[in-house]
């Protein structure tokens, strides 16, 4: 399903006040779900980033520090860690950003662990430019979609999602020219901010911008060589 390798990580970094909405999960506690004012224009810088031309997975994690991110995943920080299955984590407005040249941010076990008691959203694109968006709250996936074709979505609140996608310009008429696409990654990043209240900034993707490093290879391990389970929404 995936074919990311270290050689595909052309963007690999070398060692070196908002209006929030809230939602309630089944136990009744209130969880941050983000700022509806985030727009695609906020992420217009993305096309100039070195990360825009390679495989990546960016995870927006509300309220947690980088140290808490690593602790939840059971990972040990290693400043010298490099290559495939290396995550880089740093502080961001509203929480933390986790970046990787892989797809750990959309794996079921990672999503479940990171979203306990909070809200996270991951935007992933593989070497074939197939992309995924996952939003989870308190251990449960609430939205999944394909950013390039955002009509293909699964959400616990489809009307709210449709409104967001329309405002972000992600619902578009199919064009006979296959080279014509809207800025779907920029839209997905803005949607991640809307869902979590966390903002990705250009400085996060520069050398040293995400200073905490660790290997997340353990989450790619599975019995009998099968692929690790991707995060999925539980049907009612």
């Amino acid at each position: 399903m995936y074919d990311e390798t270290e050689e595909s990580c052309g963007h690999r970094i070398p060692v070196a006040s908002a209006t929030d909405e809230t939602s309630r999960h089944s136990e009744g506690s209130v969880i941050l779900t983000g700022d509806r004012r985030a727009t695609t224009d906020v992420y217009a810088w993305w096309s100039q980033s070195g990360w825009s031309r390679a495989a990546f997975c960016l995870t927006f994690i509300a309220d947690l520090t980088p140290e808490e991110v690593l602790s939840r995943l059971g990972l040990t920080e290693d400043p010298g860690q490099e290559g495939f299955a290396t995550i880089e984590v740093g502080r961001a407005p509203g929480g933390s950003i986790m970046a990787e040249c892989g797809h750990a941010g959309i794996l079921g076990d990672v999503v479940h662990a990171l979203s306990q008691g909070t809200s996270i959203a991951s935007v992933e694109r593989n070497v074939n430019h197939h992309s995924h968006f996952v939003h989870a709250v308190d251990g449960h996936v609430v939205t999944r979609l394909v950013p390039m074709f955002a009509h293909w979505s699964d959400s616990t609140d489809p009307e709210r999602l449709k409104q967001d996608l329309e405002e972000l310009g992600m619902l578009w008429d199919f064009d006979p020219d296959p080279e014509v696409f809207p800025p779907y990654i920029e839209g997905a990043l803005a949607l991640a901010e809307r869902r979590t209240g966390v903002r990705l900034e250009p400085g996060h993707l520069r050398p040293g911008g995400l200073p905490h490093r660790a290997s997340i290879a353990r989450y790619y391990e599975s019995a009998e060589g099968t692929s690790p389970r991707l995060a999925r929404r539980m049907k009612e």
Side-chain angles (χ1 to χ4, degrees), residues 43-74:
Y43 291 94
W45 56 266
W46 171 258
S47 63
Q48 304 302 314
S49 166
W51 289 59
S52 68
R53 295 178 289 277
F56 64 85
C57 187
L58 298 167
T59 303
F60 298 58
I61 308 156
D63 293 341
L64 299 186
T65 66
E67 293 82 2
E68 289 171 326
V69 170
L70 296 180
S71 177
R72 285 197 175 197
L73 294 175

Side-chain angles (χ1 to χ4, degrees), residues 187-200:
L189 296 174
L191 182 61
E193 181 176 342
R194 288 189 175 207
R195 290 296 188 261
T196 64
V198 178
R199 173 160 293 185
L200 174 71

Side-chain angles (χ1 to χ4, degrees), residues 10-222:
H11 57 264
R12 189 175 64 249
I13 296 176
V15 176
S17 105
T19 301
D20 296 322
E21 299 179 0
T22 58
S23 65
R24 295 179 181 272
H25 64 76
S26 57
E27 286 72 33
S29 62
V30 177
I31 295 175
L32 177 73
T33 57
D35 186 349
R36 293 292 292 275
R37 297 177 299 180
T39 66
T40 303
D41 289 345
V42 170
Y43 291 94
W45 56 266
W46 171 258
S47 63
Q48 304 302 314
S49 166
W51 289 59
S52 68
R53 295 178 289 277
F56 64 85
C57 187
L58 298 167
T59 303
F60 298 58
I61 308 156
D63 293 341
L64 299 186
T65 66
E67 293 82 2
E68 289 171 326
V69 170
L70 296 180
S71 177
R72 285 197 175 197
L73 294 175
L75 306 180
T76 300
E77 185 164 359
D78 179 1
Q81 179 67 34
E82 291 186 299
F84 180 68
T86 295
I87 60 167
E88 303 168 61
V89 189
R91 294 298 298 266
S96 292
I97 294 290
M98 182 176 82
E100 184 210 10
C101 177
H103 55 278
I106 62 171
L107 295 181
D109 290 343
V110 173
V111 169
H112 180 77
L114 284 182
S115 65
Q116 294 294 326
T118 192
S119 177
I120 76 165
S122 292
V123 180
E124 181 265 359
R125 188 181 67 195
N126 66 22
V127 293
N128 298 315
H129 279 222
H130 297 156
S131 56
H132 299 83
F133 174 94
V134 173
H135 172 225
V137 175
D138 198 30
H140 301 283
V141 173
V142 295
T143 297
R144 297 175 65 243
L145 60 88
V146 176
M148 185 182 289
F149 303 107
H151 307 76
W152 304 342
S153 63
D154 180 22
S155 176
T156 58
D157 191 347
E159 290 304 314
R160 179 190 176 204
L161 177 61
K162 180 181 178 182
Q163 181 180 348
D164 281 327
L165 295 176
E166 288 176 341
E167 291 175 0
L168 295 171
M170 296 179 69
L171 296 180
W172 54 288
D173 294 329
F174 289 96
D175 192 297
D177 182 352
E179 298 301 320
V180 177
F181 291 103
Y184 64 95
I185 294 297
E186 291 89 334
L189 296 174
L191 182 61
E193 181 176 342
R194 288 189 175 207
R195 290 296 188 261
T196 64
V198 178
R199 173 160 293 185
L200 174 71
E201 298 176 332
H204 289 125
L205 304 184
R206 296 176 185 140
L210 300 171
H212 303 268
R213 289 169 170 264
S215 170
I216 201 167
R218 57 180 288 192
Y219 284 91
Y220 288 106
E221 298 172 357
S222 57

